[in-house]
Amino acid sequence: MSDERPEPGTVRPGGRTAKTREAVLRAAGDALAEDGFDRLDLAEIARRAGVGKTTVYRRWGTVPGLVADLLNEMAADSLPRTETGSLLGDLTAQARLVQSTLSDPRQGPLFKALITAASCDPQTADALHRFYDTRTEEWAPCVTAAIERGEIPAGTSPTELIRAVSAPLYYRLLITGDPIDGAAADRAAQAAVTAAKAGAFA
Amino acid sequence: MSDERPEPGTVRPGGRTAKTREAVLRAAGDALAEDGFDRLDLAEIARRAGVGKTTVYRRWGTVPGLVADLLNEMAADSLPRTETGSLLGDLTAQARLVQSTLSDPRQGPLFKALITAASCDPQTADALHRFYDTRTEEWAPCVTAAIERGEIPAGTSPTELIRAVSAPLYYRLLITGDPIDGAAADRAAQAAVTAAKAGAFA
DNA sequence: CTCATAACGGGACTCCAGTTGCATTAAAGG
DNA sequence: CCTTTAATGCAACTGGAGTCCCGTTATGAG
């Protein structure tokens, strides 16, 4: 082992260190959204953040390491979940939320870059998995509530159903490049709910 | 303009040039599958292919350019399509094919790397879109046949339905990292067919 | 307040991915 | 077979991403 980084900033996380981390992560997010994962220059990020490039290299080391930290930061702040009273209403709200995020001119490229970074580095991949596990768990109550209401079979897997809603939208983002519009979101939610009612996720 | 590459190999595509292209593309595929997109070294690919690194830089220029050419090559050879007589049978076969490809120790990492490369470069993204358009069109007859048999509504979009089968599997590959097993494939096909019969893709 | 030291900043340095120049090989056309 | 020149190979070169050294700043503990 011994390729352990002492994880600087953990011993003295006060004022200056926190400000540096915040500034660098914000700059990293901007740069990822604008330029994409592969064109990322840590020196450029340092410049944007008003920080010495040595600091960035010392604390995060590599681009994937920095992205992983950004993902951990993003996993911290959670999103509000809608409760409409019907499974279709809830999952349509979820699909619309994903749709507006992925089609946003800043967030869309950012998420694409995050996923790209994760596919290049195991540490970043772990961070990405945790991020989406968190997001998935936030929406799981919609599914369990629908089960209690008797809308869908008892054995339905919340995880599988929630992901079935997102999957077609991410497929467009990453693979086909088709526009991610409201119609696509509604279709994704409708298809997932229909399949769930027929017991496809049980 | 003027950053146009004269596309070497188009004027004299005979013996040596063809052999070089073949060897380099094979080496590139191997390297992508083993090391991933970001750790790709064109000099290493040249060495594997038994070719001077100058040749690789001159003909393809950048890593994304090389990947784009590889994708164009891959789009050329098509896969056999199964015809089982029922929509569920056909789409299950499709899902199983995708599943076995993505869970293959060589093909899985390769496809992940190809998608990663596409998200970093517009030219490669175009090549990827063409590749999947080709694949989608190959399976479209299954859907139109199902429409003629009256299994699903007349207005059903073949493209949307075909993609709905693949999407959950790619979501696992790229985002959650969960294993892509036969159960996931069958579930994807079952869910897509159920939703299609209810008119979710019409 | 004072001290020890974690964290930062600037700049010099290293190393290798990518470029360039030129000689060599071999397609394509006659 | 001979000629032309596209395509390749080798080796020297270059630029910038990433590293290292050391002086400076400011955090947290006593």
Short mmCIF file of all heavy atoms in Angstrom, two decimals, chain A residues 37-39 112 115-116 119-120 122 128-129 132 160 163 166-168 170-172 174-178 187 190-191 194-195 198 200-201, chain B residues 38-39 112 115-116 119-122 128-129 132 160 163 166-168 170-172 174-178 187 190-191 194-195 198 200-201:
data_model
loop_
_atom_site.label_atom_id
_atom_site.label_comp_id
_atom_site.label_asym_id
_atom_site.label_seq_id
_atom_site.Cartn_x
_atom_site.Cartn_y
_atom_site.Cartn_z
N PHE A 37 -14.45 16.55 -19.40
CA PHE A 37 -13.51 15.86 -18.53
C PHE A 37 -12.08 15.84 -19.06
O PHE A 37 -11.12 16.11 -18.33
CB PHE A 37 -13.99 14.43 -18.32
CG PHE A 37 -12.96 13.51 -17.75
CD1 PHE A 37 -12.54 13.64 -16.44
CD2 PHE A 37 -12.40 12.52 -18.54
CE1 PHE A 37 -11.58 12.78 -15.91
CE2 PHE A 37 -11.44 11.67 -18.02
CZ PHE A 37 -11.03 11.80 -16.70
N ASP A 38 -11.93 15.54 -20.33
CA ASP A 38 -10.58 15.29 -20.85
C ASP A 38 -9.78 16.57 -21.06
O ASP A 38 -8.56 16.52 -21.07
CB ASP A 38 -10.65 14.50 -22.15
CG ASP A 38 -11.39 15.29 -23.22
OD1 ASP A 38 -12.38 15.95 -22.86
OD2 ASP A 38 -10.97 15.26 -24.38
N ARG A 39 -10.46 17.69 -21.22
CA ARG A 39 -9.72 18.94 -21.45
C ARG A 39 -9.46 19.69 -20.15
O ARG A 39 -9.17 20.90 -20.17
CB ARG A 39 -10.49 19.82 -22.43
CG ARG A 39 -10.55 19.19 -23.80
CD ARG A 39 -11.24 20.04 -24.81
NE ARG A 39 -11.54 19.22 -25.98
CZ ARG A 39 -12.41 19.53 -26.93
NH1 ARG A 39 -13.06 20.67 -26.86
NH2 ARG A 39 -12.62 18.72 -27.94
N LYS A 112 -22.54 14.69 -17.65
CA LYS A 112 -21.86 13.88 -18.64
C LYS A 112 -20.38 13.75 -18.29
O LYS A 112 -19.81 12.66 -18.35
CB LYS A 112 -22.01 14.53 -20.03
CG LYS A 112 -21.64 13.62 -21.17
CD LYS A 112 -21.58 14.36 -22.48
CE LYS A 112 -22.90 14.34 -23.22
NZ LYS A 112 -22.73 14.73 -24.65
N ILE A 115 -19.85 11.39 -15.24
CA ILE A 115 -19.97 9.98 -15.59
C ILE A 115 -18.74 9.53 -16.39
O ILE A 115 -18.23 8.43 -16.20
CB ILE A 115 -21.27 9.75 -16.39
CG1 ILE A 115 -22.47 10.04 -15.49
CG2 ILE A 115 -21.34 8.35 -16.94
CD1 ILE A 115 -23.77 10.24 -16.21
N THR A 116 -18.28 10.41 -17.27
CA THR A 116 -17.07 10.11 -18.03
C THR A 116 -15.88 9.90 -17.11
O THR A 116 -15.12 8.94 -17.25
CB THR A 116 -16.76 11.27 -18.99
OG1 THR A 116 -17.86 11.44 -19.89
CG2 THR A 116 -15.50 10.99 -19.80
N SER A 119 -15.92 6.59 -15.35
CA SER A 119 -15.59 5.42 -16.14
C SER A 119 -14.09 5.31 -16.39
O SER A 119 -13.63 4.35 -16.97
CB SER A 119 -16.34 5.43 -17.46
OG SER A 119 -15.66 6.22 -18.40
N CYS A 120 -13.35 6.30 -15.94
CA CYS A 120 -11.90 6.29 -16.11
C CYS A 120 -11.15 5.99 -14.82
O CYS A 120 -9.94 5.77 -14.86
CB CYS A 120 -11.41 7.64 -16.65
SG CYS A 120 -11.96 8.02 -18.32
N PRO A 122 -11.52 4.10 -10.77
CA PRO A 122 -12.32 3.33 -9.80
C PRO A 122 -12.79 4.17 -8.60
O PRO A 122 -13.93 4.03 -8.16
CB PRO A 122 -11.34 2.25 -9.34
CG PRO A 122 -10.34 2.13 -10.42
CD PRO A 122 -10.20 3.50 -11.00
N LEU A 128 -19.40 8.03 -7.68
CA LEU A 128 -20.60 8.16 -8.53
C LEU A 128 -21.69 7.18 -8.08
O LEU A 128 -22.87 7.54 -8.00
CB LEU A 128 -20.25 7.90 -10.00
CG LEU A 128 -21.37 8.18 -11.00
CD1 LEU A 128 -21.52 9.67 -11.24
CD2 LEU A 128 -21.12 7.48 -12.32
N HIS A 129 -21.30 5.95 -7.78
CA HIS A 129 -22.27 4.95 -7.32
C HIS A 129 -22.94 5.42 -6.03
O HIS A 129 -24.16 5.31 -5.88
CB HIS A 129 -21.58 3.61 -7.12
CG HIS A 129 -20.95 3.06 -8.36
ND1 HIS A 129 -19.97 2.10 -8.34
CD2 HIS A 129 -21.17 3.36 -9.67
CE1 HIS A 129 -19.62 1.82 -9.59
NE2 HIS A 129 -20.32 2.58 -10.41
N TYR A 132 -25.51 8.17 -6.81
CA TYR A 132 -26.79 7.71 -7.36
C TYR A 132 -27.55 6.81 -6.39
O TYR A 132 -28.78 6.77 -6.41
CB TYR A 132 -26.58 7.04 -8.73
CG TYR A 132 -26.46 8.06 -9.83
CD1 TYR A 132 -25.22 8.45 -10.32
CD2 TYR A 132 -27.58 8.68 -10.34
CE1 TYR A 132 -25.11 9.42 -11.32
CE2 TYR A 132 -27.49 9.65 -11.33
CZ TYR A 132 -26.25 10.02 -11.81
OH TYR A 132 -26.15 10.99 -12.78
N GLU A 160 -35.01 -0.87 -8.71
CA GLU A 160 -35.17 -1.17 -10.14
C GLU A 160 -36.15 -0.22 -10.80
O GLU A 160 -35.92 0.25 -11.92
CB GLU A 160 -35.65 -2.62 -10.31
CG GLU A 160 -34.61 -3.68 -10.00
CD GLU A 160 -33.42 -3.62 -10.96
OE1 GLU A 160 -33.61 -3.22 -12.13
OE2 GLU A 160 -32.30 -3.96 -10.53
N ARG A 163 -34.75 3.40 -11.13
CA ARG A 163 -33.72 3.47 -12.17
C ARG A 163 -34.30 3.32 -13.56
O ARG A 163 -33.79 3.88 -14.53
CB ARG A 163 -32.68 2.38 -11.93
CG ARG A 163 -31.79 2.70 -10.75
CD ARG A 163 -30.85 1.55 -10.47
NE ARG A 163 -29.95 1.86 -9.36
CZ ARG A 163 -29.12 0.99 -8.82
NH1 ARG A 163 -29.08 -0.25 -9.27
NH2 ARG A 163 -28.32 1.36 -7.83
N SER A 166 -35.09 6.72 -14.92
CA SER A 166 -33.95 7.54 -15.34
C SER A 166 -33.24 6.99 -16.58
O SER A 166 -32.76 7.76 -17.42
CB SER A 166 -32.93 7.63 -14.20
OG SER A 166 -33.47 8.33 -13.10
N ALA A 167 -33.15 5.66 -16.66
CA ALA A 167 -32.31 5.02 -17.67
C ALA A 167 -32.50 5.55 -19.09
O ALA A 167 -31.52 5.89 -19.76
CB ALA A 167 -32.50 3.50 -17.62
N PRO A 168 -33.75 5.67 -19.58
CA PRO A 168 -33.91 6.13 -20.98
C PRO A 168 -33.37 7.54 -21.18
O PRO A 168 -32.88 7.87 -22.27
CB PRO A 168 -35.42 6.10 -21.18
CG PRO A 168 -35.94 5.16 -20.16
CD PRO A 168 -35.04 5.30 -18.99
N TYR A 170 -30.80 9.01 -19.49
CA TYR A 170 -29.35 8.94 -19.52
C TYR A 170 -28.85 8.28 -20.80
O TYR A 170 -27.79 8.63 -21.32
CB TYR A 170 -28.82 8.20 -18.29
CG TYR A 170 -28.76 9.07 -17.07
CD1 TYR A 170 -29.83 9.14 -16.18
CD2 TYR A 170 -27.65 9.87 -16.80
CE1 TYR A 170 -29.79 9.95 -15.06
CE2 TYR A 170 -27.60 10.69 -15.70
CZ TYR A 170 -28.68 10.73 -14.82
OH TYR A 170 -28.64 11.55 -13.73
N TYR A 171 -29.64 7.35 -21.32
CA TYR A 171 -29.29 6.71 -22.59
C TYR A 171 -29.21 7.75 -23.70
O TYR A 171 -28.31 7.73 -24.53
CB TYR A 171 -30.33 5.63 -22.93
CG TYR A 171 -29.95 4.70 -24.04
CD1 TYR A 171 -29.10 3.62 -23.81
CD2 TYR A 171 -30.44 4.88 -25.33
CE1 TYR A 171 -28.76 2.75 -24.83
CE2 TYR A 171 -30.10 4.02 -26.36
CZ TYR A 171 -29.26 2.95 -26.10
OH TYR A 171 -28.92 2.10 -27.12
N ARG A 172 -30.15 8.69 -23.67
CA ARG A 172 -30.10 9.77 -24.66
C ARG A 172 -28.89 10.67 -24.44
O ARG A 172 -28.21 11.06 -25.39
CB ARG A 172 -31.37 10.64 -24.55
CG ARG A 172 -32.57 9.98 -25.17
CD ARG A 172 -33.85 10.71 -24.77
NE ARG A 172 -34.99 10.10 -25.44
CZ ARG A 172 -35.62 10.65 -26.47
NH1 ARG A 172 -35.26 11.83 -26.92
NH2 ARG A 172 -36.63 10.03 -27.05
N LEU A 174 -25.98 10.02 -23.08
CA LEU A 174 -24.65 9.44 -23.25
C LEU A 174 -24.46 8.71 -24.58
O LEU A 174 -23.33 8.61 -25.05
CB LEU A 174 -24.38 8.46 -22.10
CG LEU A 174 -24.39 9.08 -20.71
CD1 LEU A 174 -24.42 8.00 -19.65
CD2 LEU A 174 -23.19 9.99 -20.52
N ILE A 175 -25.53 8.21 -25.14
CA ILE A 175 -25.35 7.31 -26.28
C ILE A 175 -25.95 7.83 -27.58
O ILE A 175 -25.25 7.95 -28.57
CB ILE A 175 -25.91 5.92 -25.94
CG1 ILE A 175 -25.01 5.31 -24.85
CG2 ILE A 175 -25.93 5.03 -27.17
CD1 ILE A 175 -25.47 4.02 -24.30
N THR A 176 -27.24 8.16 -27.59
CA THR A 176 -27.84 8.56 -28.86
C THR A 176 -27.70 10.05 -29.13
O THR A 176 -27.70 10.48 -30.28
CB THR A 176 -29.33 8.21 -28.92
OG1 THR A 176 -30.05 9.04 -28.02
CG2 THR A 176 -29.55 6.75 -28.54
N GLY A 177 -27.60 10.86 -28.06
CA GLY A 177 -27.47 12.30 -28.25
C GLY A 177 -28.77 12.98 -28.61
O GLY A 177 -28.79 14.18 -28.90
N ASP A 178 -29.89 12.23 -28.61
CA ASP A 178 -31.18 12.83 -28.90
C ASP A 178 -31.55 13.85 -27.82
O ASP A 178 -31.10 13.73 -26.68
CB ASP A 178 -32.27 11.74 -28.97
CG ASP A 178 -32.12 10.89 -30.21
OD1 ASP A 178 -31.49 11.37 -31.17
OD2 ASP A 178 -32.63 9.76 -30.21
N ARG A 187 -42.79 9.86 -21.21
CA ARG A 187 -42.83 8.51 -21.75
C ARG A 187 -42.08 7.54 -20.83
O ARG A 187 -42.55 6.43 -20.57
CB ARG A 187 -42.19 8.50 -23.14
CG ARG A 187 -42.78 7.49 -24.09
CD ARG A 187 -42.10 7.52 -25.44
NE ARG A 187 -42.13 8.83 -26.04
CZ ARG A 187 -41.07 9.50 -26.46
NH1 ARG A 187 -39.86 8.96 -26.32
NH2 ARG A 187 -41.18 10.69 -27.01
N GLN A 190 -44.24 6.95 -17.75
CA GLN A 190 -45.42 6.16 -18.12
C GLN A 190 -45.05 4.70 -18.35
O GLN A 190 -45.72 3.79 -17.83
CB GLN A 190 -46.03 6.75 -19.41
CG GLN A 190 -47.23 5.99 -19.93
CD GLN A 190 -48.42 6.10 -18.99
OE1 GLN A 190 -48.89 7.20 -18.73
NE2 GLN A 190 -48.88 4.97 -18.44
N ALA A 191 -43.97 4.47 -19.10
CA ALA A 191 -43.55 3.10 -19.41
C ALA A 191 -43.16 2.36 -18.14
O ALA A 191 -43.54 1.19 -17.93
CB ALA A 191 -42.37 3.12 -20.39
N THR A 194 -46.34 1.53 -16.06
CA THR A 194 -47.10 0.46 -16.70
C THR A 194 -46.45 -0.91 -16.45
O THR A 194 -47.12 -1.87 -16.06
CB THR A 194 -47.18 0.69 -18.22
OG1 THR A 194 -47.76 1.98 -18.45
CG2 THR A 194 -48.03 -0.38 -18.89
N ALA A 195 -45.13 -0.95 -16.65
CA ALA A 195 -44.41 -2.20 -16.45
C ALA A 195 -44.47 -2.64 -15.00
O ALA A 195 -44.63 -3.83 -14.68
CB ALA A 195 -42.96 -2.05 -16.91
N ALA A 198 -47.66 -4.25 -14.03
CA ALA A 198 -47.76 -5.62 -14.56
C ALA A 198 -46.78 -6.57 -13.86
O ALA A 198 -46.67 -7.74 -14.22
CB ALA A 198 -47.48 -5.62 -16.06
N ALA A 200 -43.36 -6.25 -13.63
CA ALA A 200 -42.08 -6.47 -14.31
C ALA A 200 -40.88 -6.22 -13.39
O ALA A 200 -39.78 -6.67 -13.68
CB ALA A 200 -41.99 -5.56 -15.54
N PHE A 201 -41.10 -5.50 -12.29
CA PHE A 201 -39.98 -5.23 -11.37
C PHE A 201 -40.14 -5.97 -10.05
O PHE A 201 -39.58 -5.57 -9.03
CB PHE A 201 -39.86 -3.73 -11.13
CG PHE A 201 -39.66 -2.95 -12.40
CD1 PHE A 201 -40.65 -2.12 -12.91
CD2 PHE A 201 -38.46 -3.05 -13.10
CE1 PHE A 201 -40.47 -1.42 -14.08
CE2 PHE A 201 -38.27 -2.34 -14.28
CZ PHE A 201 -39.29 -1.53 -14.77
N ASP B 38 -8.80 6.98 -21.08
CA ASP B 38 -7.91 8.07 -20.66
C ASP B 38 -6.46 7.62 -20.56
O ASP B 38 -5.56 8.45 -20.64
CB ASP B 38 -8.37 8.65 -19.32
CG ASP B 38 -8.31 7.60 -18.23
OD1 ASP B 38 -8.65 6.43 -18.51
OD2 ASP B 38 -7.91 7.93 -17.10
N ARG B 39 -6.22 6.33 -20.38
CA ARG B 39 -4.84 5.86 -20.25
C ARG B 39 -4.26 5.42 -21.58
O ARG B 39 -3.27 4.70 -21.64
CB ARG B 39 -4.77 4.71 -19.25
CG ARG B 39 -5.10 5.20 -17.85
CD ARG B 39 -5.01 4.11 -16.83
NE ARG B 39 -5.66 4.56 -15.60
CZ ARG B 39 -6.04 3.79 -14.61
NH1 ARG B 39 -5.84 2.50 -14.70
NH2 ARG B 39 -6.63 4.30 -13.53
N LYS B 112 -17.57 0.68 -22.87
CA LYS B 112 -17.51 1.77 -21.91
C LYS B 112 -16.51 2.83 -22.38
O LYS B 112 -16.79 4.03 -22.35
CB LYS B 112 -17.09 1.22 -20.53
CG LYS B 112 -17.31 2.20 -19.41
CD LYS B 112 -16.66 1.71 -18.12
CE LYS B 112 -17.60 0.90 -17.28
NZ LYS B 112 -17.08 0.73 -15.89
N ILE B 115 -17.90 4.87 -25.40
CA ILE B 115 -18.88 5.87 -24.99
C ILE B 115 -18.18 7.03 -24.29
O ILE B 115 -18.52 8.20 -24.49
CB ILE B 115 -19.95 5.22 -24.08
CG1 ILE B 115 -20.73 4.19 -24.89
CG2 ILE B 115 -20.87 6.27 -23.50
CD1 ILE B 115 -21.52 3.21 -24.04
N THR B 116 -17.20 6.69 -23.48
CA THR B 116 -16.41 7.73 -22.81
C THR B 116 -15.72 8.64 -23.83
O THR B 116 -15.77 9.87 -23.71
CB THR B 116 -15.34 7.08 -21.91
OG1 THR B 116 -15.98 6.26 -20.94
CG2 THR B 116 -14.50 8.14 -21.21
N SER B 119 -18.08 11.06 -25.48
CA SER B 119 -18.54 12.19 -24.67
C SER B 119 -17.45 13.24 -24.54
O SER B 119 -17.67 14.30 -23.96
CB SER B 119 -18.99 11.72 -23.29
OG SER B 119 -17.88 11.62 -22.42
N CYS B 120 -16.27 12.97 -25.07
CA CYS B 120 -15.16 13.93 -25.01
C CYS B 120 -14.90 14.62 -26.34
O CYS B 120 -14.15 15.58 -26.39
CB CYS B 120 -13.88 13.23 -24.56
SG CYS B 120 -13.90 12.66 -22.86
N ASP B 121 -15.53 14.14 -27.40
CA ASP B 121 -15.18 14.65 -28.73
C ASP B 121 -16.38 14.58 -29.67
O ASP B 121 -16.95 13.51 -29.86
CB ASP B 121 -14.02 13.83 -29.29
CG ASP B 121 -13.64 14.27 -30.70
OD1 ASP B 121 -13.05 15.35 -30.83
OD2 ASP B 121 -13.95 13.53 -31.64
N PRO B 122 -16.76 15.69 -30.29
CA PRO B 122 -17.94 15.73 -31.17
C PRO B 122 -17.84 14.75 -32.34
O PRO B 122 -18.82 14.08 -32.68
CB PRO B 122 -17.95 17.17 -31.68
CG PRO B 122 -17.18 17.95 -30.68
CD PRO B 122 -16.15 17.02 -30.14
N LEU B 128 -20.40 7.46 -32.86
CA LEU B 128 -21.15 6.61 -31.93
C LEU B 128 -22.64 6.63 -32.25
O LEU B 128 -23.30 5.60 -32.24
CB LEU B 128 -20.92 7.09 -30.49
CG LEU B 128 -21.50 6.17 -29.41
CD1 LEU B 128 -20.60 4.95 -29.21
CD2 LEU B 128 -21.68 6.90 -28.08
N HIS B 129 -23.17 7.81 -32.54
CA HIS B 129 -24.59 7.93 -32.88
C HIS B 129 -24.90 7.10 -34.12
O HIS B 129 -25.90 6.38 -34.17
CB HIS B 129 -24.96 9.39 -33.10
CG HIS B 129 -24.76 10.25 -31.89
ND1 HIS B 129 -24.64 11.62 -31.95
CD2 HIS B 129 -24.63 9.93 -30.58
CE1 HIS B 129 -24.46 12.09 -30.74
NE2 HIS B 129 -24.43 11.10 -29.89
N TYR B 132 -24.99 3.35 -33.23
CA TYR B 132 -26.20 2.88 -32.56
C TYR B 132 -27.44 3.04 -33.43
O TYR B 132 -28.39 2.26 -33.29
CB TYR B 132 -26.36 3.57 -31.19
CG TYR B 132 -25.50 2.91 -30.15
CD1 TYR B 132 -24.28 3.44 -29.77
CD2 TYR B 132 -25.89 1.70 -29.56
CE1 TYR B 132 -23.47 2.81 -28.83
CE2 TYR B 132 -25.09 1.07 -28.63
CZ TYR B 132 -23.88 1.62 -28.26
OH TYR B 132 -23.09 0.98 -27.35
N GLU B 160 -37.88 4.01 -30.26
CA GLU B 160 -38.07 4.19 -28.82
C GLU B 160 -38.13 2.85 -28.09
O GLU B 160 -37.55 2.69 -27.02
CB GLU B 160 -39.37 4.98 -28.55
CG GLU B 160 -39.29 6.45 -28.93
CD GLU B 160 -38.30 7.21 -28.08
OE1 GLU B 160 -38.08 6.84 -26.91
OE2 GLU B 160 -37.70 8.18 -28.59
N ARG B 163 -34.68 1.05 -28.00
CA ARG B 163 -33.78 1.70 -27.06
C ARG B 163 -34.20 1.47 -25.62
O ARG B 163 -33.36 1.41 -24.72
CB ARG B 163 -33.74 3.20 -27.35
CG ARG B 163 -32.96 3.52 -28.61
CD ARG B 163 -33.03 4.99 -28.92
NE ARG B 163 -32.24 5.30 -30.11
CZ ARG B 163 -32.24 6.48 -30.69
NH1 ARG B 163 -32.97 7.47 -30.20
NH2 ARG B 163 -31.48 6.68 -31.75
N SER B 166 -32.45 -1.56 -24.29
CA SER B 166 -31.02 -1.42 -23.99
C SER B 166 -30.75 -0.51 -22.81
O SER B 166 -29.81 -0.74 -22.03
CB SER B 166 -30.28 -0.86 -25.22
OG SER B 166 -30.34 -1.77 -26.30
N ALA B 167 -31.54 0.55 -22.70
CA ALA B 167 -31.24 1.62 -21.74
C ALA B 167 -30.92 1.14 -20.32
O ALA B 167 -29.91 1.55 -19.75
CB ALA B 167 -32.38 2.65 -21.72
N PRO B 168 -31.74 0.25 -19.73
CA PRO B 168 -31.44 -0.16 -18.35
C PRO B 168 -30.09 -0.86 -18.23
O PRO B 168 -29.42 -0.75 -17.20
CB PRO B 168 -32.59 -1.12 -18.01
CG PRO B 168 -33.68 -0.79 -18.95
CD PRO B 168 -32.99 -0.35 -20.21
N TYR B 170 -27.34 -0.36 -20.18
CA TYR B 170 -26.29 0.65 -20.27
C TYR B 170 -26.24 1.51 -19.00
O TYR B 170 -25.18 1.96 -18.59
CB TYR B 170 -26.49 1.52 -21.51
CG TYR B 170 -25.98 0.85 -22.76
CD1 TYR B 170 -26.81 0.08 -23.55
CD2 TYR B 170 -24.64 0.98 -23.13
CE1 TYR B 170 -26.34 -0.55 -24.69
CE2 TYR B 170 -24.15 0.35 -24.27
CZ TYR B 170 -25.01 -0.40 -25.05
OH TYR B 170 -24.54 -1.04 -26.17
N TYR B 171 -27.41 1.73 -18.40
CA TYR B 171 -27.45 2.49 -17.14
C TYR B 171 -26.62 1.78 -16.08
O TYR B 171 -25.88 2.41 -15.33
CB TYR B 171 -28.90 2.62 -16.70
CG TYR B 171 -29.13 3.61 -15.59
CD1 TYR B 171 -29.22 4.98 -15.84
CD2 TYR B 171 -29.28 3.19 -14.26
CE1 TYR B 171 -29.43 5.89 -14.82
CE2 TYR B 171 -29.50 4.09 -13.24
CZ TYR B 171 -29.59 5.44 -13.53
OH TYR B 171 -29.79 6.34 -12.50
N ARG B 172 -26.71 0.46 -16.05
CA ARG B 172 -25.88 -0.30 -15.11
C ARG B 172 -24.40 -0.19 -15.46
O ARG B 172 -23.56 0.00 -14.59
CB ARG B 172 -26.27 -1.79 -15.14
CG ARG B 172 -27.56 -2.07 -14.41
CD ARG B 172 -28.09 -3.46 -14.74
NE ARG B 172 -29.29 -3.72 -13.96
CZ ARG B 172 -29.31 -4.52 -12.90
NH1 ARG B 172 -28.23 -5.17 -12.52
NH2 ARG B 172 -30.43 -4.68 -12.22
N LEU B 174 -22.75 2.14 -17.05
CA LEU B 174 -22.12 3.45 -16.97
C LEU B 174 -22.34 4.16 -15.65
O LEU B 174 -21.52 4.99 -15.26
CB LEU B 174 -22.65 4.33 -18.11
CG LEU B 174 -22.37 3.81 -19.51
CD1 LEU B 174 -23.18 4.58 -20.53
CD2 LEU B 174 -20.88 3.90 -19.81
N ILE B 175 -23.42 3.86 -14.97
CA ILE B 175 -23.78 4.70 -13.82
C ILE B 175 -23.79 3.96 -12.49
O ILE B 175 -23.12 4.37 -11.56
CB ILE B 175 -25.13 5.39 -14.07
CG1 ILE B 175 -24.95 6.39 -15.22
CG2 ILE B 175 -25.64 6.10 -12.83
CD1 ILE B 175 -26.18 7.05 -15.69
N THR B 176 -24.54 2.87 -12.40
CA THR B 176 -24.62 2.22 -11.09
C THR B 176 -23.52 1.19 -10.87
O THR B 176 -23.15 0.91 -9.73
CB THR B 176 -25.97 1.51 -10.89
OG1 THR B 176 -26.04 0.38 -11.75
CG2 THR B 176 -27.11 2.47 -11.20
N GLY B 177 -23.00 0.61 -11.96
CA GLY B 177 -21.95 -0.38 -11.83
C GLY B 177 -22.45 -1.74 -11.39
O GLY B 177 -21.66 -2.65 -11.13
N ASP B 178 -23.78 -1.90 -11.28
CA ASP B 178 -24.32 -3.20 -10.89
C ASP B 178 -24.04 -4.24 -11.96
O ASP B 178 -23.88 -3.90 -13.13
CB ASP B 178 -25.85 -3.09 -10.70
CG ASP B 178 -26.19 -2.31 -9.44
OD1 ASP B 178 -25.32 -2.24 -8.56
OD2 ASP B 178 -27.31 -1.78 -9.36
N ARG B 187 -35.66 -8.77 -17.49
CA ARG B 187 -36.52 -7.75 -16.90
C ARG B 187 -36.67 -6.57 -17.85
O ARG B 187 -37.76 -6.03 -18.03
CB ARG B 187 -35.92 -7.29 -15.57
CG ARG B 187 -36.96 -6.86 -14.56
CD ARG B 187 -36.29 -6.39 -13.28
NE ARG B 187 -35.43 -7.40 -12.69
CZ ARG B 187 -34.14 -7.22 -12.41
NH1 ARG B 187 -33.57 -6.06 -12.67
NH2 ARG B 187 -33.44 -8.19 -11.87
N GLN B 190 -38.94 -7.63 -20.73
CA GLN B 190 -40.31 -7.79 -20.23
C GLN B 190 -40.97 -6.43 -19.98
O GLN B 190 -42.11 -6.19 -20.39
CB GLN B 190 -40.28 -8.60 -18.92
CG GLN B 190 -41.65 -8.78 -18.26
CD GLN B 190 -42.54 -9.68 -19.10
OE1 GLN B 190 -42.22 -10.85 -19.32
NE2 GLN B 190 -43.66 -9.16 -19.59
N ALA B 191 -40.24 -5.55 -19.33
CA ALA B 191 -40.79 -4.23 -19.02
C ALA B 191 -41.09 -3.45 -20.29
O ALA B 191 -42.15 -2.81 -20.41
CB ALA B 191 -39.82 -3.45 -18.13
N THR B 194 -44.21 -4.96 -22.06
CA THR B 194 -45.42 -4.63 -21.32
C THR B 194 -45.85 -3.19 -21.58
O THR B 194 -47.02 -2.90 -21.87
CB THR B 194 -45.19 -4.82 -19.81
OG1 THR B 194 -44.76 -6.15 -19.58
CG2 THR B 194 -46.47 -4.54 -19.03
N ALA B 195 -44.87 -2.27 -21.49
CA ALA B 195 -45.16 -0.86 -21.71
C ALA B 195 -45.61 -0.61 -23.15
O ALA B 195 -46.53 0.17 -23.39
CB ALA B 195 -43.93 -0.02 -21.38
N ALA B 198 -49.15 -1.52 -23.78
CA ALA B 198 -50.08 -0.54 -23.20
C ALA B 198 -50.02 0.79 -23.95
O ALA B 198 -50.66 1.76 -23.56
CB ALA B 198 -49.74 -0.34 -21.72
N ALA B 200 -47.25 2.79 -24.48
CA ALA B 200 -46.38 3.81 -23.91
C ALA B 200 -45.39 4.39 -24.94
O ALA B 200 -44.84 5.46 -24.73
CB ALA B 200 -45.61 3.24 -22.72
N PHE B 201 -45.19 3.66 -26.03
CA PHE B 201 -44.25 4.15 -27.05
C PHE B 201 -44.97 4.55 -28.33
O PHE B 201 -44.36 4.59 -29.40
CB PHE B 201 -43.18 3.10 -27.34
CG PHE B 201 -42.41 2.67 -26.13
CD1 PHE B 201 -42.59 1.42 -25.57
CD2 PHE B 201 -41.52 3.55 -25.53
CE1 PHE B 201 -41.89 1.03 -24.45
CE2 PHE B 201 -40.81 3.16 -24.40
CZ PHE B 201 -41.01 1.91 -23.86
#
